[in-house]
Amino acid sequence: MTIEKLKDKIKEKFNLDCQVEVGLVKILVPKESWGTLAEFLRFEAEFNYFSFITAVDRKEKFEMVARVENLEEKTACEFTTEILPNETLSTLSELWEGAVWQEREVFDLFGIKFENHPDLKRILLPEDYTGYPLKKEFPLDKHYEPYR
Amino acid sequence: MEVKEKIPLQSIAEIYQTFPGGELMLTTTEKFFKWAQVSSFWPLTFGLACCAIEMMATFASRFDLDRWGMIMRGSPRQSDLLIISGTVTIKMGPRIRRLYEQMPEPKWVLAMGSCAISGGIFRNSYAVVPGVDRIIPVDVFVPGCPPVPEALMDGILKLQDKIKNSKNDYRKVER
């Protein structure tokens, strides 16, 4: 599926406007259609490679950014949504296996929970770590308790 | 063996000198052990970050620590010197502690570079131990980012001086 065709299809199916760059589509989706859009990208648009998912702390809300790629056609799609700090998001790990560790990392550093994730626990930090260090509210000079 | 009558040291020396090529050296065991310890540090092959590159250069042919009897050992059970060369993350902390505990006594620790000493530029990071002395006791701190090989060699010589001039046979370590 070419970029132009993908743009039209998303407009028709989800009524969302895309920003198109060379080989890349950027979409801002509402939180409710996060899962259905991902399913569409995986099976109909055939984005077979999961690049990353990450979060941006905007203090009053979190911006969730995910990027998937189609390695045959060399196209990519970056889809973004906004959630409140205490909200959860549906997992992408059922569509792309590569999202399992990526979502664990987002949970580890931002504290965002993913619904139906198979193994949502800390991945980089020790299991007894308190707090989520990449949040803006995390104090800068706070050291890990055993080595304070 | 029980010595019944005291033999003067002079007569022992005379006995030895009757042997062909016989020589006698008198010293205290403390001094003798210290001489053996400082003459052949066996550091653990253990690199953590970019300081390890400088450490490898120090051990390679240009600076050649083998002339001080230092060779890298692959197991902590064969080592008596632990060079902390780089940033210590909080997940590496328990592993360093375990490696230290696996080393036989007597053992020494050299903290190399500002990251190992205080956390360096990563001090306020959520994932870094602000100084390896919070995990294990450190004998010599070598500052630098990273320290040049000459600085590391100077630190090793300082450690040799420390052992030679120490009052106790074995360091008292608080556990």
mmCIF file of all heavy atoms in Angstrom, chain B residues 12 19 21 54 74 140 174:
data_model
loop_
_atom_site.group_PDB
_atom_site.id
_atom_site.type_symbol
_atom_site.label_atom_id
_atom_site.label_comp_id
_atom_site.label_asym_id
_atom_site.label_seq_id
_atom_site.Cartn_x
_atom_site.Cartn_y
_atom_site.Cartn_z
ATOM 1 N N ILE B 12 73.480 -19.599 63.567
ATOM 2 C CA ILE B 12 72.652 -20.061 62.438
ATOM 3 C C ILE B 12 73.278 -19.606 61.131
ATOM 4 O O ILE B 12 73.412 -20.381 60.167
ATOM 5 C CB ILE B 12 71.213 -19.515 62.539
ATOM 6 C CG1 ILE B 12 70.552 -20.013 63.824
ATOM 7 C CG2 ILE B 12 70.392 -19.966 61.330
ATOM 8 C CD1 ILE B 12 69.184 -19.441 64.059
ATOM 9 N N PHE B 19 77.177 -24.316 53.882
ATOM 10 C CA PHE B 19 76.609 -24.965 52.699
ATOM 11 C C PHE B 19 77.253 -24.392 51.456
ATOM 12 O O PHE B 19 77.583 -23.209 51.417
ATOM 13 C CB PHE B 19 75.085 -24.712 52.603
ATOM 14 C CG PHE B 19 74.306 -25.346 53.717
ATOM 15 C CD1 PHE B 19 73.062 -24.844 54.063
ATOM 16 C CD2 PHE B 19 74.807 -26.430 54.416
ATOM 17 C CE1 PHE B 19 72.337 -25.419 55.083
ATOM 18 C CE2 PHE B 19 74.078 -27.002 55.431
ATOM 19 C CZ PHE B 19 72.848 -26.498 55.778
ATOM 20 N N GLY B 21 77.390 -22.445 48.366
ATOM 21 C CA GLY B 21 76.535 -21.378 47.850
ATOM 22 C C GLY B 21 75.482 -20.942 48.830
ATOM 23 O O GLY B 21 74.502 -20.288 48.451
ATOM 24 N N GLU B 54 41.141 2.516 28.816
ATOM 25 C CA GLU B 54 42.418 3.021 29.338
ATOM 26 C C GLU B 54 43.121 1.939 30.146
ATOM 27 O O GLU B 54 44.340 1.803 30.086
ATOM 28 C CB GLU B 54 42.145 4.191 30.269
ATOM 29 C CG GLU B 54 42.220 5.625 29.776
ATOM 30 C CD GLU B 54 42.920 5.916 28.489
ATOM 31 O OE1 GLU B 54 42.346 5.723 27.434
ATOM 32 O OE2 GLU B 54 44.057 6.408 28.551
ATOM 33 N N GLY B 74 41.236 -14.320 35.063
ATOM 34 C CA GLY B 74 39.869 -14.422 34.586
ATOM 35 C C GLY B 74 38.857 -14.781 35.645
ATOM 36 O O GLY B 74 37.667 -14.818 35.373
ATOM 37 N N VAL B 140 42.328 2.870 46.911
ATOM 38 C CA VAL B 140 42.944 3.976 46.176
ATOM 39 C C VAL B 140 41.919 4.538 45.190
ATOM 40 O O VAL B 140 41.233 3.782 44.495
ATOM 41 C CB VAL B 140 44.205 3.497 45.419
ATOM 42 C CG1 VAL B 140 44.779 4.628 44.587
ATOM 43 C CG2 VAL B 140 45.244 2.993 46.377
ATOM 44 N N GLU B 174 35.063 -3.465 57.698
ATOM 45 C CA GLU B 174 33.751 -3.512 58.344
ATOM 46 C C GLU B 174 32.776 -4.172 57.404
ATOM 47 O O GLU B 174 32.642 -3.790 56.252
ATOM 48 C CB GLU B 174 33.265 -2.105 58.679
ATOM 49 C CG GLU B 174 33.963 -1.532 59.886
ATOM 50 C CD GLU B 174 33.477 -0.136 60.180
ATOM 51 O OE1 GLU B 174 32.326 0.173 59.841
ATOM 52 O OE2 GLU B 174 34.262 0.636 60.729
#
